[in-house]
Amino acid sequence: MIRVQAEDFDLGDELKKMTDGNTGIGGLCSFVGLVRDMAGDERISAMTLEHYPGMTEKALADIEKQAHSRWNLDETLIIHRYGRLKPGEQIVLVAAASAHRGSAFEACHFLIDWLKTKAPFWKLEDTPGVGKWVDARTSDDEAENRWNKPD
Amino acid sequence: MKILYFAWVREAVGKSEEDLNLPEGVASVSDLVAWLKQQDTGYETAFADNAVVRVAVNQEYVDLDHRVSNGDEIAFFPPVTGG
């Protein structure tokens, strides 16, 4: 399941809903991304996440589909927030549930790495006096590349 | 065609979207970029370095040589930074 929303989410509730009623699940792995209070050596007071409504949902659905084609998964969940967020707030949740832990761990890691380079979101950081668009990082591309299968 | 701009590309262009009739001689995304750059300095700033602008046509990532037509939704934006 994918959700793109402005409002916060309750981690415990979301994870419980994924496994409720499915006793075949043996492992559930989740990752939560939070707003940091520092950008490099500058303190930030808030961050605004912009996205591309329509394409965002398509991209996330595609990322989820990719995960299901690569691992044997019972459930996956991607929640990504947009709008203005303060340090400490939750930005993103990805989770994968499977019969065994190996698939759950790997799929969870894959979901966040792929999302970072493919989902059309942009972060604008409020640093003292000025808003600064976050640059894409080559380390994110490298993180995604290790999941690219040779043709 | 509908053209959308996001993040600093939107700020440079000065608008988030616009409707346009396919200009004469424009067949690909790179033709469209070249045509836009002739219209206003905002586009020149936004597309100063094509290598840092990503393109989606009908909500799918494409390359600059992708063909465009009048019914398309074309979006220009910086490399993504979500997660």
Side-chain angles (χ1 to χ4, degrees), chain A residues 8-106:
Chain A
D8 198 11
F9 52 85
D10 184 295
L11 180 60
D13 284 354
E14 298 297 344
L15 297 184
K16 192 167 182 311
K17 275 188 274 179
M18 286 179 73
T19 56
D20 264 359
N22 186 346
T23 49
I25 293 173
L28 169 62
C29 191
S30 66
F31 171 86
V32 177
L34 306 168
V35 180
R36 261 196 319 272
D37 61 357
M38 297 293 282
D41 53 4
E42 283 191 287
R43 187 159 286 274
I44 70 159
S45 52
M47 173 183 280
T48 302
L49 271 140
E50 180 175 333
H51 77 114
Y52 179 176
M55 182 170 172
T56 306
E57 288 81 358
K58 268 176 127 168
L60 294 181
D62 181 58
I63 290 163
E64 190 176 44
K65 205 169 122 196
Q66 277 284 335
H68 281 269
S69 74
R70 291 175 186 220
W71 291 277
N72 193 2
L73 304 168
D74 287 89
E75 293 286 340
T76 47
L77 175 65
I78 306 175
I79 301 177
H80 205 302
R81 295 177 68 194
Y82 60 86
R84 195 173 155 86
L85 303 174
K86 294 224 157 81
E89 284 201 67
Q90 306 183 114
I91 305 175
V92 63
L93 163 65
V94 300
S98 179
H100 303 288
R101 72 182 184 285
S103 301
F105 266 113
E106 285 182 22

Side-chain angles (χ1 to χ4, degrees), chain A residues 50-55 58 80 91-92 115-123 133-136, chain B residues 4-8 10-11 54 56 58-61 73-75 77-83:
Chain A
E50 180 175 333
H51 77 114
Y52 179 176
M55 182 170 172
K58 268 176 127 168
H80 205 302
I91 305 175
V92 63
L115 180 157
K116 274 197 160 290
T117 57
K118 298 196 185 300
F121 284 93
W122 304 274
K123 288 178 181 142
W133 291 101
V134 175
D135 278 332
Chain B
L4 305 172
Y5 308 97
F6 292 96
W8 57 253
R10 167 176 53 76
E11 289 179 348
R54 300 289 179 266
N58 300 325
Q59 306 186 348
E60 302 275 355
Y61 288 102
E73 175 177 299
I74 303 167
F77 46 79
V80 301
T81 56

Side-chain angles (χ1 to χ4, degrees), chain B residues 8 11 15 21-22 26 30 37 40 57 61 70 72-73 75 77-79:
Chain B
W8 57 253
E11 289 179 348
K15 55 186 123 183
N21 272 320
L22 188 67
V26 169
S30 58
K37 284 167 85 170
D40 185 88
V57 172
Y61 288 102
N70 242 336
D72 286 341
E73 175 177 299
F77 46 79

